[in-house]
Amino acid sequence: MIEDVTDDLNSGAGEESLAEGALAPLQSSIAERLRRAGLRPTRQRVALGTLLLGGEDRHVSAEMLHAEALAQGEHVSLATVYNTLHQFTGAGLLRELAIDGGKAYFDTNVSNHNHFFIEEHGQLMDIPGDTIRVDGLPEPPEGMRVSHIDVVVRLVPIKP
């Protein structure tokens, strides 16, 4: 199946640029990662997965990813981007963070960690390591356990 996806991605291989050819191994790797997560590696999932998971950890909104995809020449609707982000989250490839009520960001670092939120720019940054300690947690109800605690430390510039 991965071969089918990479063949689809590389159709017209005689016309592809050197940069597109260099993406083929990454796209194949992303397709395999999607399969291991239980997702079918469609062309659009692989394209969005390559943007999300092909480099360093990052935080994106659906609108940010949609703009990146369009800039890369990927014809994908905003609804498809939202659906894909939620599918990736459900498969454990992303972590969703709700900031400011309805604004959702998706984090490619799915480990248990916390964040700074720079309010002026709407930007999330990972807080390194175990620098935050939470004391006084109540006992969870019977049959439940705490999976993780999300802490978002909001930052604003110091005004002179």
Side-chain angles (χ1 to χ4, degrees), residues 6-22:
T6 53
D7 287 346
D8 182 37
L9 290 168
N10 293 325
S11 62
E15 301 170 16
E16 73 183 352
S17 71
L18 184 57
E20 290 169 331

Side-chain angles (χ1 to χ4, degrees), residues 40-51:
R40 192 167 56 92
T42 64
R43 181 188 57 78
Q44 289 178 323
R45 282 183 186 149
V46 171
L48 294 172
T50 300
L51 289 172

Side-chain angles (χ1 to χ4, degrees), residues 55-68:
E56 295 188 18
D57 285 327
R58 55 194 296 227
H59 307 93
V60 299
S61 68
E63 295 79 9
M64 291 166 56
L65 184 60
H66 183 245
E68 286 181 30

Side-chain angles (χ1 to χ4, degrees), residues 8 38 82-83 124:
D8 182 37
Y82 270 106
N83 289 338
L124 279 168

